[in-house]
Amino acid sequence: MAETEAIAALFKAGDCVRVREAYPIGHVRTPYYIRGKSGVIERLCGAYPNPEELAYARPGLPRQPLYRVRFRQTDVWQGYRGKGDDTVDIEIYQHWLQAQ
Amino acid sequence: MNTFRGVHDMGGLPAGEVVASEHDFALWEKRVDALMVLLSRKNLLTVDELRRNIESLGADAYDKMSYYERWIYAITQTLIQRGVVSIDELGRRIAEVQARDDGGN
Amino acid sequence: MSEHHHHDESVPHRHPLRADQDDTLTYWRAMEIAVRELLIDKEITTADEVRREVEAMDNRTPAHGGRVIARAWSDPDFRKLLLEDGNAACEAMGLERGLYKLVAVENTDKVHNVVVCTLCSCYPRFLLGLPPDWYKSRNYRSRVISDPRAVLGEFGTVVGDDAVVRVHDSTADMRYLVVPKRPSGTEGFSESKLAELVTRDAMIGVSFARQP
């Protein structure tokens, strides 16, 4: 059942990606602060039912590939107070990512 | 504002110093947590339904309610949405529970 | 559980920092009782099942995480397994495997990891128990992501400029365990002695492991 229905992964570790800049209502697991920002795929975590659908008691299938994406803090926050190579790693589902 | 930002989606917003607060959880709080775990295991609730209902609280309620108050609100909303519990029986049972309390405080 | 001392005037009243909601039937507490009773009436759960779940919760404490870290400090093969497949490592120690995928991230001289869930309160509960209030607070969730070095400073944790700070926002299906740096002067320590140095906060990444 759920195990077989997964969307193919489009990205691999090291790929540059950009988070889609979109602002729907509803249950979204892509934080506001990271939309429109660019980062690098750290790893593919697997494929999981889409939480945007699970939130409404629907099955969330086919499963969405989920990645850990690494962003440089200085690319995320204006005037970041830290080191230039500090990072933030965030789990982001594939449908929120586009190739950079 | 030409964007929408949920009340829960607070990463990067201005806020105060972090105070290392914690407390021993009260039995009722643990029971709320246990209900979430059990209902999720019985496929009567997904964690994302719980979150969606918490996120739909207004900003004022989100900040004023305690953590497990938000949870019992969201668990109950989910049970109503799924037709597991009706609003009528919920209202009657809450009144019954309150009447049972001897008002000793 | 429900001993009341309202009529004992010899006991001075203390002012708790936080209202004791076990003693007052608030609206939300009445709702918890009502919902639990309705679920029991409908035979969806039983009082016993709820009680057992609370007990299981009480048994999940940061001591579990501490054992895992102490093993990783002592056994290079286990450390490798933990970093590659956190759930398998927990299972190998006879602990719960966990419902979510466990990602262990290691602190070194060059990298300091710290974990947050900006959207809610995701936390490796099977290894650390329930998250503390501050982890779920607006101040922590808002600021540790954009100004981590300042927030670490508020915990008394100073990360030098020679190390990168790596914040992990736990937004989805992973849960994170920070493997703290092994304290100096602990050569030859047994695993159980090492485990005593591993604090919950060190496994979240807001502090270092204790010095012996």
Side-chain angles (χ1 to χ4, degrees):
Chain A
M1 32 155 265
E3 289 308 306
T4 59
E5 290 183 60
I7 291 170
L10 293 176
F11 307 111
K12 59 181 190 308
D15 285 356
C16 294
V17 290
R18 185 166 182 272
V19 183
R20 284 178 40 237
E21 201 165 353
Y23 301 95
I25 58 164
H27 177 67
V28 171
R29 297 305 286 179
T30 306
Y32 185 96
Y33 71 83
I34 210 63
R35 300 185 200 170
K37 308 293 187 203
S38 298
V40 175
I41 302 280
E42 191 261 351
R43 74 179 78 168
L44 171 65
C45 301
Y48 296 86
N50 184 349
E52 294 163 10
E53 293 293 310
L54 290 177
Y56 294 87
R58 295 190 289 262
L61 298 177
R63 289 175 295 133
Q64 277 287 345
L66 177 70
Y67 302 91
R68 274 167 46 80
V69 186
R70 181 162 293 170
F71 301 85
R72 290 160 55 95
Q73 289 279 37
T74 49
D75 289 341
V76 179
W77 310 106
Q78 271 195 338
Y80 175 71
R81 302 194 298 166
K83 274 187 62 185
D85 45 1
D86 285 356
T87 64
V88 53
D89 291 8
I90 314 178
E91 293 154 54
I92 303 179
Y93 295 92
Q94 181 164 284
H95 64 290
W96 274 91
L97 297 174
Q98 58 198 42
Q100 174 81 322
Chain B
M1 277 266 275
N2 52 7
T3 60
F4 175 84
R5 181 172 192 160
V7 57
H8 65 288
D9 192 351
M10 58 183 73
L13 293 180
E17 189 170 323
V18 178
V19 179
S21 54
E22 52 191 297
H23 76 287
D24 289 332
F25 294 102
L27 181 58
W28 85 271
E29 295 178 300
K30 294 185 200 177
R31 280 179 172 153
V32 171
D33 202 292
L35 288 179
M36 188 280 287
V37 173
L38 289 170
L39 289 168
S40 152
R41 196 179 297 152
K42 292 169 194 286
N43 296 318
L44 289 171
L45 166 154
T46 65
V47 174
D48 291 292
E49 283 173 281
L50 179 88
R51 292 173 181 147
R52 170 174 66 87
N53 280 307
I54 291 173
E55 291 159 11
S56 66
L57 281 164
D60 193 49
Y62 188 94
D63 280 334
K64 273 190 187 147
M65 288 166 74
S66 76
Y67 183 74
Y68 282 109
E69 286 175 350
R70 297 197 292 262
W71 272 39
I72 192 59
Y73 164 83
I75 288 170
T76 309
Q77 280 284 13
T78 304
L79 293 173
I80 293 169
Q81 287 155 2
R82 286 195 174 220
V84 176
V85 167
S86 75
I87 293 171
D88 184 65
E89 63 187 347
L90 177 69
R92 287 173 197 274
R93 187 60 66 104
I94 291 173
E96 214 180 291
V97 170
Q98 288 171 330
R100 236 184 272 158
D101 188 45
D102 59 8
N105 45 337
Chain C
M1 264 332 276
S2 55
E3 279 178 38
H4 293 268
H5 300 286
H6 295 159
H7 306 293
D8 186 355
E9 299 301 329
S10 68
V11 178
H13 287 271
R14 283 183 299 170
H15 297 276
L17 290 170
R18 191 173 183 286
D20 183 352
Q21 293 170 323
D22 255 356
D23 275 352
T24 309
L25 188 69
T26 61
Y27 172 74
W28 299 110
R29 196 180 157 220
M31 182 171 292
E32 183 277 318
I33 296 170
V35 168
R36 175 161 42 90
E37 288 183 359
L38 287 169
L39 292 172
I40 292 169
D41 288 355
K42 292 170 189 288
E43 297 185 351
I44 288 170
T45 188
T46 63
D48 196 50
E49 195 175 39
V50 176
R51 184 186 55 74
R52 275 186 277 123
E53 201 53 48
V54 169
E55 281 174 9
M57 189 184 306
D58 283 339
N59 286 329
R60 295 183 195 109
T61 73
H64 289 138
R67 282 178 52 205
V68 172
I69 302 300
R71 173 76 53 93
W73 283 344
S74 310
D75 177 345
D77 289 338
F78 181 82
R79 170 184 163 275
K80 191 164 173 284
L81 176 64
L82 179 63
L83 295 174
E84 281 171 7
D85 185 345
N87 305 84
C90 293
E91 211 169 25
M93 287 199 67
L95 295 168
E96 281 181 85
R97 198 184 153 79
L99 291 173
Y100 292 89
K101 199 157 163 179
L102 182 71
V103 175
V105 289
E106 188 177 41
N107 284 351
T108 65
D109 290 337
K110 294 282 167 229
V111 179
H112 184 91
N113 296 282
V114 57
V115 182
V116 64
C117 172
T118 62
L119 298 176
C120 50
S121 56
C122 300
Y123 191 75
R125 293 158 56 122
F126 71 107
L127 281 181
L128 301 185
L130 300 177
D133 294 337
W134 61 260
Y135 183 82
K136 305 180 283 191
S137 71
R138 172 171 286 278
N139 291 357
Y140 184 73
R141 286 165 53 192
S142 300
R143 289 181 51 242
V144 77
I145 196 77
S146 53
D147 200 3
R149 289 172 187 264
V151 170
L152 289 171
E154 287 158 21
F155 281 89
T157 304
V158 178
V159 178
D161 277 347
D162 48 343
V164 166
V165 170
R166 189 157 285 162
V167 185
H168 301 267
D169 193 352
S170 187
T171 49
D173 295 279
M174 306 295 110
R175 295 294 177 268
Y176 296 91
L177 178 72
V178 174
V179 181
K181 268 191 292 185
R182 179 172 174 160
S184 55
T186 57
E187 297 75 15
F189 275 33
S190 67
E191 273 184 40
S192 59
K193 207 167 164 193
L194 284 172
E196 288 170 18
L197 306 175
V198 185
T199 62
R200 177 198 66 201
D201 289 2
M203 292 183 277
I204 300 172
V206 294
S207 67
F208 302 120
R210 247 182 233 133
Q211 277 301 134

